[in-house]
Every structure is written in C-alpha cells, then in structure tokens.
Amino acid sequence: MTRRVPPWLLVPALVCGGVVASCGAGMLFCAAVAALGDGRAVAALAVPGAGAVALGAGVVAFAGTRLVRSLTVHALTGFAAVTLAWVVAAAAAAVPLLASGALSDPLDAYFEAMSGFTTMGATVIDDLEAQPEGILMWRCLTQWLGGVGIVVLVVAVAPVSGPALQRAFYAEMSGLTTERLTPRIVGTAKIIAGIYVVLTAAGALAYLAAGLGLFDAVAHAFSTLATGGFSTRDASIGAFGSLGVELACMAGMTLGAINFAFYWLAITGRSLWPQLGEIRAFLGILAGASAAVTASLLLAGDADGFGEALRQGAFSAVSVTSSTGFTTADFDGWNSFARLALFGLMFVGGCAGSTAGGMKVIRVMLLGKIARQEVDRQLQPSGVQVLRAGRRAFPERVRGAVLGFALVYVLVFAAGALALAAIGLDLSTAVSAAASSINIVGPGLGDVGAVESYAELPQAALVVSALLMLIGRLELFTVVALLAAAFRLRR
Amino acid sequence: MRALVIGAGKVGVNVARTLTGDGHDVVVVDNDERRAADLQPELDALVVHGNGASPRLLAEVNAGDADLVAAVTEVDEVNVIAALASRQLGARTTVARVRDPDFFGPDETFAHDVLGIDLVIDPDRATASDIARALVLPGSVAVEHFGDDRIVLAEVIVTPDSPVSGVPLGERERPFPAYIVGISRGEETMLTRPDLVPQPGDHLLVTAPRECVGKAIAHLCGRVEEVRDCVIFGAGSIGMHLARLLEDTKVRVKMFERDEQRARYVAERLRRTTVLHEEGISREAQEAAGVDEADAFVACAGDDRANLLAALYAKRLGADMCLAVVSREEFTPLVDALPIDAAYSPRLITSEAILRFVHARVVRGIYLTRSGFEVIELEAEPGAPIVGKVVGETHGMLSGKRVGAVLRGGEVLMPPQRIEIQAGDRVLMLGVEGSLAEAEPLFVSR
C-alpha cells in the first residue's frame, strides 16, 4: 500500500476525524433523547450527527490507521492535531445549535460550542427553558465530551495505539507531569474514560435521588462531572431551590476536579501518596474559601442568617474553584471581599489531571513553596531547596516550568483583559471575563456576572473569550507553542 | 562448626578471627592473591585465593558442607551470588553483606523467604541505627539491647555534674535500678569494683531495665536534656539512613554535604531534614548551621580524617555530644585521646552483627565495644554447672566477668540484689575480650 497521506498530516487527520465522528455520535444520542422526549429539533440533531459520523469515519478511513502503530511525530504535530481537533469539534457542535434555531448567529453558535467543549459554561442563550430538550442535552454533552478531553475519549476507543497518539494525548491532558497508568496509552485513556463514565453515572443517580427528573439529572451529571456549568435552566442550579441537588452538585464538582489518576491508584490499591498532597490542599482550599466567603456574607449582611450564608458561600466557592460556574445566588451583588475572593479562586482551579480548569492546585502550591524557599534562601544561602508537594519531591526543572507557566498564564490573561477592555467592556467585566475564560469558569463579574449571560457582549469580545478558553483548556503551551511556531514559519 | 568466609576485608578477617578463636574450622576466600598470601600466617584458617561467587570455587571449598557461609566482600553482587550459590549447594546458614537496599527487595523478609539468605547486613544502615539509638537516649553514646529488648546496656560519659563523679561506686546513691558493670578511662578498661571512683570523662557501661534506662542514664551522666538539634556531617549512606531514622523522632536535623548532586539527591529523599551544600569543616559554615547550639554532631562522611576534624571543630564550637564514624582501625587509639565522645566503626558493627547472629543458639548477644570489652547473654540450660550458684559467690567460676542483669521470665533482676541463677535464666555479662568464650560451657548442660 502506498502512503497516501504524509505523516505530519496523518495524525491531525486521524485525530480530527475521530473527534468529528465522536461529536456525530453524541448528536445522534441527543436526537434519540429528543425523539423520546419533547420531539423537537430531532432533525436538527440527527442530520448533522449522521453527517459528522460519515465525514469523520471517511477521513479516518482515507488516512488509514495502518501507519499509526509505528509512526513517530514531532511534539508540534501533536499540538497541532489537538488544537485543530478542538477548533473543528466546536465548529461541528455549533451546527445543531444553528439548525434548531436556538441561535441565529454563527459566531454565537461557535462561542456556545467552544464554551461547551472547554467546559467553561458561559452561554449566549438567554431563554434556556424555551429550548428543545435535544439541544439542551447536546450542550451538556459537549461539556462531558470536552471535560476529560475529547481526544482522550477518542484515543480510548481507538482501534490502534502508537506513539503518535501519545503525543496527541499528552498535548490535551492537563497536568504538571505526564501520568501513565498502563504501558499502552490506549489503556491509560480507557481507564480515565472508564472512571469518568462511572463518576458521571454516580452523579446522575445522586441527582435522581435528590429529586431531579431523568432528563435534568443526566444533563446536569454531564456538565457537573465535567466541571462545565451548562444547565437546562437560566437560573442554573439555583432554579431547583433544593439543598439536596446543591449538595449532589458540590460533591460532583469536587470529584470531577480531583486527579483521575488518584481514583485509579485507589481502585488498584496502590500507594496514594503521590497524589495526596495536592488533593489535601485542594480540599483545604475549598473548606477555607467556603468559610471565608460565608463569614464575609454574614458580616456584610449579604445573606439571611448563617444557614443561608453557608449554603450560598460554600456552593459559590466550590463552583468557582472547581472552574464549573454553576450558580445558586447572584454573587455579583455580594461585598467586594467575597467577589475578590471568588475572582482569586478562579485562578487556583482543580487538581492536575482532572476535568477542572485554572492554573491547577499543584502549580499554585508549588508557587507558594517557591516563594517561601526564596525567602529561606536569604537566611540560609547554602541550604538545598527541594520542591515538594506532600511527600512527593519534584525535579529541579519543575521549578522553572512552574514559574514559566505562571508567567505566561498571567501574560495571556493580561493580554486578554486588555483586548476586552479595548473592545469596550468596562473594567470589572473585562478583567473578570478574561479570568473566567482562561480559567474556564463561566460567570464573571459586572456584565458577565452570575445572573447575566455573555449574550450582550460584542462579537469581537466573544472571539477573544473563545480563544482564551481554548488556551486555558489546553493548558497554555499546546496553543501558545503552536501560535509561536506558526508565527516563526511565516517570517 | 565449619564456616566459610568470603572476602578477607576488615569484616571478613574480624569474623574469621573470632570464629577461629571460638574453636571453629574456618575457610577464607579472597580474590586478591597478595592479600590472601599475607593473611595466611595471621589466621589459624585456610585462606584460598579465588572468586567467591564462582560455583566451581565454592564446590572446591565444600561450601555445601558449611554450617555458615558469610559473604562479606565489598561488592554487593558478589555477596548475593555467593550466598545464593552456597545455599543451593547445601550450606546451612548464609549471611550476606549488602549495601544497596534494592537487592533485598520490598521488605526484610524478601531476602530470607525468597532469596534464602538468612541474614542480610548493611554496614551503613547498622551503623546509622546504632548512632540513632545513642542519640535518642540522651546522655548515652552507645546503646545495645539484650534479653528480648528487656535489658539495655548503655555507654555513658561521666560529667562533673554527675552524682557519681568522685564517689566510690560502693557508696553511690541508687535512685533507679541500674548497675555499672565496667568503666573505661582513656585506653584503660576496668570491671567495676566497689572501691572504684568514677571521674569526669570516664565512660561507664551500665545495664538497666528498658523502662527506666532513660532516667538512669540522665541521673548518672548528670544531665537531662534530650537531643533536639542534631547536625550530621556528610550525606553518605550512613548520614542518609541516620537522618531517616531521626525524622521519625522529634530531633531537628541539619546536614552538611559538599557534593552538590549528592546534596540534592538526599534532600529530595528526606522530608524534614535541612540539607546544606557546604563542606562543613570551616568555623563560619558550622556557626551558620548552628553547630555551636547543637545537642549532637555526627560526623559520618566517607573520609575518617574529615570526620575527626569536623567533630573536633564542632566540639570546640560547643556542640554537646560529638560522634564520629571512623572506619580505619589505625585511628581507633587516637580517638580515645581526642575530646570526641564516641567513635563508630561500620566494619566492627558489621562483624558484631554477624557474630551475634552466629552465636544465636546459646549465646544471645555479643557486643564488642571499642574499648575491648565483650558483652554476652547466655541462657542457663537445666543441669548446667552455673545453675544454683549465687552471683558474686561463684568461687571463681565467673572470675574476670561481671554479671550485669538476669532475665527470669519477664522479670529483670539486677545486682546488688542477691541472685541465685536458675535454669532458663538469661544472664548478661561483661568481660574483657576473649574471656567470655570460656564462660559458655558453664551454661550448657552436661
């Protein structure tokens, strides 16, 4: 057989084909949900779904999987494949939104789809209750697909394995270090996907137990475990007004924001300590942030009584820290301490290797350690400093990597905020929308606050926001390195 | 007993010499022809030149008939292979000296259960745990456990504040059950007599039941502070093991290491220890690390001379207890003349561990102090000559030895209490080196 596709194109083609076909399968699932439910928008989901499956399968078949086993590719090809896959996936996912008439503007639809896949959860649809059930399910499903990583899911069901797929896998997987649970990358992807499915099923059962209907339970389980934040209601989780639902949601968001490798270590009975430091810090941050926000709500009189303050404060802290973005209260109306605290928590995010966004707890922990060690170095210049989280010691190069990541993160965030301000957003809207996008949280402050949507933003702002989401979701360097390489090629 | 000793280094020679002294038949194998030739006239044993890991050689020296094969060369792999091969050939007991913990698997039982090596001894680890035990018991410089850990033998330095300093032993107060069995003063070692007067700087060998050993030692040496701050000089494998052991206690540890890579390697593997990339011999470095305030300074780098120098420096700066690891036997007499509180020899500790293991049937323990004392624990078999005798009234049976404690059932009996030895008693005795082998027959039934 002659080589029909050059290797640098083969991997992006395979990954994109797989991703598009998966999207199509998801649309067909939602079409089935719609057909069994309210019967609206069935065609708007089924036709693009069938088309996407056919197109994706066609691309994969044309490219051929025979070479994947032996093919090795440059890291940049991996970056390109994954970035391209996400851009293409969002385009495919936008089609049903347009076809059903939920959104009329292609850019709005693309933003909505990207916000879905990146699990940001910011929406430009103002009247969710009026939308067809199939479309609402599809939005939540995009979050679920993007949550653990759509390429991870594709690799999990890939019929072949190879070093080229590994590149794509690591380009998408979040985290400080590469996790390897099994010898083969396909096996690792299968385990992660399996854990994800089990957690999601548990989430759906918890929602059912808390009193949601089957449709709402499944849709919210998708967007909760993905730490996404899309809801079927305009008022988000707050629309249900049920403590049980809120508790199930908080548990789901927390579980989704914990490193999936941890579950695997726990299931297989291996030593948990490599992950424990980060998880302990994450839970500590959740507890501390909940307490601080609750206290400030009580002192400022933003909530009625301790019970209400704790319920709203804790939910907001968990929702924002895990980069989910569900809301039960309009935190934009709270005192400035609470708002600033929530703004800061966006940057922390969840654990590395989870579905959450943000800088990740482990990086924040290490940044704190680096700061403390710099002070120690002044007192004891000859002391040997070891970067450590819990009992896990990191090699010295991680110090530079973490500092570099933080620097680029802040620069990208600042550039995004500046761009949004230049487009005409007011200060707190621009800054919080940029933070919310890069940390893939969802709601921000001001015009993009908890009870607002992104529908009022100018089109240019949606483009900036969507780009920030993609950069944030793929952990900076996948996209930034690709952009840098593209820029250098052109010169 | 037929014993085969592989490796005629310091440990091998020590083990071989003690075993021949005890009357066993010993074959020594070494791959250095010159060393083998030099050793032959010094030892009442057969010295063979060859590769101890070679099955052919092992068969030639009848390793299969040996009651004991001790593989104690400098090379881990040779020791492991020699022990495994001898065991396959039929040797009854095998001992291997192994430095790299990777060889003995996830836990200690792996070597025994899977590899079939009866005793794996790591000189560095054994040394570190000896030092750690001495550090954890304040005031003592060396500690050994006997009688199922019920009896402790400690070496304690007398300070001017000590209540026993300048008081004849027969007249000293005894607030705690503890018995002084021996004194070493400079290079002289003495079994205790009631008219002996301890002086500041003397090392007392004291037996005490485990429960009250801490208080007894604090009382005897005249100070009570625990070791809180410890500075370790040299992050070699002894230093690292020691820091690991101390991390489980309340002791704060600082560590000097002059090699940057090694310092980093160790720092990554320790949790609470502060590792300083510094040579650690200069006054500035030691003061910056707080050596002057430290309760203990342990010099355990790879170089004896550096260890002695660093420990001397630390003592001068005011570190409370200064210990040094000294491998070379030539330096041992020198250490007594220096103001260093105690010296540890990994080789001596290794041969002790091996000999203790070998004597395990009747003899429960042996401890060769640097000063030339031996301590053994013997169990009186029914009908043995010693049964029925009263300690201190044996009519010369135990001359040249001092009984420190007797374990009867779970109970510890100590002189000056009147003790009549019964069958089944385990008797802890101190004697000058070599004198204890003659005591053994007294405890065996005829």
Side-chain angles (χ1 to χ4, degrees), chain B residues 1 3 5 13 15-28 36 38-48:
Chain B
M1 185 175 84
V5 176
V13 171
V15 169
R17 188 167 285 145
T18 311
L19 290 178
T20 52
D22 289 351
H24 303 298
D25 292 338
V26 180
V27 178
V28 179
D38 287 352
L39 191 62
Q40 186 61 81
E42 290 179 30
L43 269 184
D44 182 18
L46 173 63
V47 183
V48 179

Side-chain angles (χ1 to χ4, degrees), chain A residues 220-250:
Chain A
H220 282 98
F222 281 155
S223 56
T224 305
L225 269 303
T227 65
F230 271 161
S231 177
T232 58
R233 311 291 169 99
D234 281 330
S236 189
I237 291 290
F240 302 108
S242 151
L243 183 62
V245 172
E246 285 165 32
L247 288 177
C249 184
M250 284 167 71

Side-chain angles (χ1 to χ4, degrees), chain A residues 10-11 14-15 64-74 77-78 81 151-152 154-171 180 182-190:
Chain A
L10 177 66
V11 175
L14 281 177
V15 172
T65 54
R66 221 171 56 88
L67 283 172
V68 170
R69 237 180 273 279
S70 55
L71 189 67
T72 55
V73 293
H74 191 260
T77 312
V151 175
V152 170
V154 166
V155 172
V157 296
V160 289
S161 184
L165 287 184
Q166 185 174 322
R167 287 278 192 204
F169 182 90
Y170 286 133
R180 195 82 187 224
T182 59
R184 275 189 175 280
I185 201 71
V186 168
T188 303
K190 276 195 169 73

Side-chain angles (χ1 to χ4, degrees), chain B residues 27 127 140 154 169 171 221 237 242 352 361 375 402 440 444:
Chain B
V27 178
T127 307
S140 63
L169 283 177
E171 294 163 29
C221 71
S237 88
L242 179 58
E352 277 163 29
R361 194 179 66 83
V375 178
R402 202 58 92 239
E440 210 173 320
V444 183

Side-chain angles (χ1 to χ4, degrees), chain B residues 56-57 73 103 105 113 125 205 258 266 269 298 343 369 407 442 445:
Chain B
R56 192 179 45 76
L57 183 102
T73 69
F103 279 111
D113 299 346
R125 211 146 71 126
L205 287 177
R258 61 178 186 177
V266 171
R269 276 152 189 81
V298 181
T369 61
L407 184 72
L442 297 175
S445 58

Side-chain angles (χ1 to χ4, degrees), chain B residues 52-277:
Chain B
S54 142
R56 192 179 45 76
L57 183 102
L58 287 173
E60 249 171 49
V61 296
N62 267 336
D65 281 343
D67 298 292
L68 167 77
V69 175
V72 291
T73 69
E74 290 286 339
V75 189
D76 285 355
E77 287 85 341
V78 169
N79 296 341
V80 171
I81 293 172
L84 289 177
S86 315
R87 168 46 59 91
Q88 288 304 316
L89 289 171
R92 267 171 286 297
T93 312
T94 52
V95 174
R97 166 192 185 180
V98 181
R99 271 214 161 78
D100 187 346
D102 282 351
F103 279 111
F104 41 90
D107 54 70
E108 311 266 309
T109 55
F110 180 83
H112 184 265
D113 299 346
V114 181
L115 298 182
I117 303 176
D118 299 294
L119 174 72
V120 170
I121 174 127
D122 173 2
D124 298 334
R125 211 146 71 126
T127 307
S129 67
D130 269 25
I131 297 175
R133 263 187 274 172
L135 290 181
V136 171
L137 264 191
S140 63
V141 289
V143 180
E144 267 316 297
H145 291 249
F146 293 93
D148 297 337
D149 283 355
R150 300 271 299 119
I151 306 169
V152 174
L153 180 102
E155 187 176 341
V156 178
I157 304 171
V158 180
T159 65
D161 305 332
S162 164
V164 295
S165 166
V167 180
L169 283 177
E171 294 163 29
R172 76 177 182 98
E173 289 174 37
R174 298 171 187 274
F176 303 105
Y179 186 66
I180 302 171
V181 277
I183 292 185
S184 75
R185 179 177 297 161
E187 287 186 41
E188 195 187 356
T189 53
M190 299 164 273
L191 291 173
T192 48
R193 300 183 308 272
D195 58 328
L196 211 55
V197 181
Q199 292 167 7
D202 284 357
H203 287 222
L204 305 178
L205 287 177
V206 183
T207 55
R210 195 189 52 199
E211 306 81 72
C212 51
V213 66
K215 285 180 199 151
I217 290 171
H219 168 74
L220 284 174
C221 71
R223 67 178 158 195
V224 283
E225 317 100 77
E226 286 179 38
V227 171
R228 280 317 197 77
D229 286 285
C230 174
V231 178
I232 299 175
F233 171 82
S237 88
I238 296 178
M240 190 162 152
H241 284 307
L242 179 58
R244 274 240 170 91
L245 291 169
L246 292 179
E247 283 193 338
D248 295 334
T249 67
K250 286 188 210 138
V251 181
R252 285 183 294 265
V253 184
K254 280 186 182 165
M255 210 168 189
F256 286 118
E257 171 57 46
R258 61 178 186 177
D259 179 70
E260 188 170 2
Q261 265 190 325
R262 176 70 191 177
R264 177 148 296 284
Y265 176 88
V266 171
E268 281 173 4
R269 276 152 189 81
L270 295 172
R271 283 171 294 136
R272 295 195 296 115
T273 304
T274 309
V275 181
L276 304 170
H277 171 220

Side-chain angles (χ1 to χ4, degrees), chain A residues 275-291:
Chain A
Q275 309 290 346
L276 269 185
E278 185 182 18
I279 291 169
R280 210 179 289 146
F282 175 60
L283 298 178
I285 288 169
L286 290 185
S290 301

Side-chain angles (χ1 to χ4, degrees), chain A residues 121-386:
Chain A
T123 183
V124 288
I125 301 176
D126 265 339
D127 47 348
L128 289 173
E129 278 87 348
Q131 300 302 327
E133 283 188 352
I135 293 301
L136 293 177
M137 183 60 86
W138 172 235
R139 290 169 72 247
C140 291
L141 187 59
T142 56
Q143 297 216 306
W144 190 79
L145 291 174
V148 79
I150 190 160
V151 175
V152 170
L153 294 181
V154 166
V155 172
V157 296
V160 289
S161 184
L165 287 184
Q166 185 174 322
R167 287 278 192 204
F169 182 90
Y170 286 133
E172 183 180 72
M173 198 64 191
S174 74
L176 196 58
T177 48
T178 51
E179 319 267 1
R180 195 82 187 224
L181 309 179
T182 59
R184 275 189 175 280
I185 201 71
V186 168
T188 303
K190 276 195 169 73
I191 287 163
I192 290 174
I195 291 168
Y196 193 42
V197 168
V198 170
L199 285 177
T200 309
L205 288 177
Y207 276 130
L208 278 175
L212 289 193
L214 182 62
F215 174 79
D216 280 332
V218 172
H220 282 98
F222 281 155
S223 56
T224 305
L225 269 303
T227 65
F230 271 161
S231 177
T232 58
R233 311 291 169 99
D234 281 330
S236 189
I237 291 290
F240 302 108
S242 151
L243 183 62
V245 172
E246 285 165 32
L247 288 177
C249 184
M250 284 167 71
M253 294 188 289
T254 308
L255 290 176
I258 284 177
N259 192 333
F260 280 33
F262 173 78
Y263 300 125
W264 179 242
L265 295 180
I267 292 166
T268 52
R270 273 181 280 180
S271 161
L272 299 176
W273 65 262
Q275 309 290 346
L276 269 185
E278 185 182 18
I279 291 169
R280 210 179 289 146
F282 175 60
L283 298 178
I285 288 169
L286 290 185
S290 301
V293 172
T294 304
S296 84
L297 292 186
L298 273 178
L299 291 174
D302 289 327
D304 306 327
F306 177 74
E308 200 57 25
L310 179 63
R311 184 171 166 183
Q312 294 182 4
F315 187 91
S316 302
V318 173
S319 172
V320 167
T321 309
S322 66
S323 84
T324 310
F326 281 132
T327 54
T328 55
D330 179 14
F331 54 72
D332 202 29
W334 291 352
N335 62 79
S336 47
F337 171 82
R339 281 186 293 161
L340 206 54
L342 291 178
F343 177 79
L345 287 172
M346 286 185 183
F347 284 87
V348 177
C351 300
S354 72
T355 65
M359 287 178 63
K360 304 287 173 323
V361 173
I362 186 77
R363 290 203 184 89
V364 174
M365 272 174 89
L366 293 182
L367 282 174
K369 294 262 161 70
I370 290 171
R372 215 187 65 198
Q373 292 186 349
E374 264 331 288
V375 175
D376 287 349
R377 199 195 300 280
Q378 306 304 314
L379 301 173
Q380 195 134 52
S382 62
V384 178
Q385 316 267 14
V386 177

